[in-house]
Amino acid sequence: MKKILCFACAVLMMVLCFAGCGEKASVSASKALADPDAAKGAEITFTVGFDAEFPPYGYLDTETNEYTGFDLVLAEEVCKRNGWTLVKKPINWDLKDSELEAGTIDCIWNGFTMNGREEEYTFSSPYVDNSQVVVVRKADKINALKDLAGKSVEVQKESSAEAALTSTEDNEKNLALAKTFKELKSVADYNTALMDLESGICDAVAMDIGVAQYKVAANDKLMMLSETVATEQYAVGFKKGNTALCDKVEETLKAMVADGTFAKIAEEWELSDCVCLK
């Protein structure tokens, strides 16, 4: 009996050993560029952190149950050209810095505003010109920013819209505007804010123009005010000092611009008027 048990254990160990040998090790793109020897023979992964409720840049397509969006398609092409495997990692936007610091993501790529954050991250060159706008219900006949006086306005927490209406640095106009509101409330995400708008919990939502256009096009009860609250630029954000990966991604993006791929993807997502990478 002992011989049988020993033989069985030996067979099991061999099976586990061969199974382990068959698995290909994976190395992050950040580590692969920092230590090329560690990447030899390994699968190189590029993990993008994104807000899964931020169309058209990154979101869950309920028809396919897959994450997609303009930024994720760009990332897919970058990975294809570098032989990397894309890992799409939806994150809690409030915890984006922790994710980046811990190395669980290689970058933040999801309509990420660089303005005012230049010293906190290593950024690629900007690739989208963006504006902060206000979405309201058509029935309320709010036609201008001045009409928001006495109204309840919502923004996504830690968003550019929140910063545009609360920053105390060279922002007197928007601070004065915010003071006219009945309240300025931060909520977890844009979907929550827009549901609050539709149900009457709030009167307006300040948000990125790309998301606003996407949402308004799908809901004929909503409209976007023509006045902008602020303007900004999107870039890919990397951990401070991770210049090797940033440069590699930017080099690939510029190659995509040169051969027309970048413009084609922007056209498919109806963002041709917003892109600015040369």
Side-chain angles (χ1 to χ4, degrees):
M1 180 62 72
K2 288 183 179 179
K3 289 183 178 180
I4 294 174
L5 288 174
C6 289
F7 179 74
C9 289
V11 171
L12 179 60
M13 290 178 67
M14 289 178 65
V15 170
L16 292 174
C17 180
F18 282 118
C21 291
E23 292 178 0
K24 191 175 183 180
S26 63
V27 175
S28 72
S30 297
K31 185 174 181 179
L33 290 172
D35 183 7
D37 288 337
K40 289 181 179 178
E43 175 189 39
I44 300 175
T45 60
F46 181 58
T47 304
V48 172
F50 67 101
D51 179 350
E53 297 180 346
F54 199 70
Y57 297 96
Y59 65 99
L60 179 65
D61 186 329
T62 54
E63 292 185 3
T64 63
N65 203 35
E66 297 285 341
Y67 292 114
T68 188
F70 176 60
D71 287 347
L72 293 179
V73 172
L74 289 177
E76 286 174 351
E77 182 65 20
V78 166
C79 286
K80 178 181 177 182
R81 295 184 181 213
N82 286 288
W84 301 340
T85 298
L86 177 63
V87 178
K88 304 173 185 179
K89 184 175 174 59
I91 59 174
N92 182 325
W93 200 244
D94 292 348
L95 303 178
K96 59 186 181 296
D97 293 341
S98 300
E99 296 269 10
L100 197 60
E101 188 65 30
T104 54
I105 58 176
D106 287 302
C107 68
I108 302 169
W109 194 344
N110 191 212
F112 190 38
T113 302
M114 66 183 297
N115 308 83
R117 294 180 170 131
E118 291 90 345
E119 301 304 314
E120 301 172 34
Y121 307 87
T122 291
F123 278 109
S124 70
S125 296
Y127 63 96
V128 163
D129 285 326
N130 184 57
S131 299
Q132 297 303 314
V133 296
V134 176
V135 175
V136 297
R137 294 181 295 270
K138 289 180 180 179
D140 290 346
K141 297 182 180 179
I142 298 173
N143 298 308
L145 293 178
K146 63 182 178 61
D147 298 332
L148 295 173
K151 306 297 184 183
S152 175
V153 180
E154 290 190 357
V155 293
Q156 177 176 311
K157 187 177 181 181
E158 296 291 327
S159 68
S160 298
E162 181 182 54
L165 291 167
T166 61
S167 174
T168 57
E169 186 175 347
D170 298 324
N171 196 36
E172 290 79 9
K173 183 178 179 180
N174 283 338
L175 288 175
L177 172 65
K179 283 183 180 180
T180 69
F181 303 162
K182 177 182 178 181
E183 66 174 345
L184 177 61
K185 182 180 177 182
S186 298
V187 296
D189 52 67
Y190 283 128
N191 283 344
T192 299
L194 290 168
M195 285 191 291
D196 286 350
L197 178 60
E198 287 190 74
S199 64
I201 293 176
C202 71
D203 303 298
V205 178
M207 60 198 304
D208 296 62
I209 189 170
V211 186
Q213 289 173 332
Y214 183 90
K215 293 294 187 179
V216 168
N219 191 331
D220 60 6
K221 293 182 180 180
L222 303 179
M223 60 176 280
M224 185 177 71
L225 301 186
S226 59
E227 296 173 272
T228 60
V229 175
T231 58
E232 61 191 15
Q233 292 181 312
Y234 287 161
V236 187
F238 301 83
K239 184 178 177 180
K240 189 71 174 178
N242 192 358
T243 55
L245 183 56
C246 179
D247 290 347
K248 188 64 175 176
V249 170
E250 180 163 338
E251 174 189 319
T252 310
L253 285 172
K254 287 186 175 180
M256 290 161 57
V257 170
D259 66 22
T261 303
F262 189 95
K264 181 180 178 182
I265 295 172
E267 183 179 0
E268 289 172 353
W269 289 94
E270 299 182 357
L271 291 169
S272 298
D273 293 339
C274 300
V275 296
C276 61
L277 186 64
K278 305 295 184 184

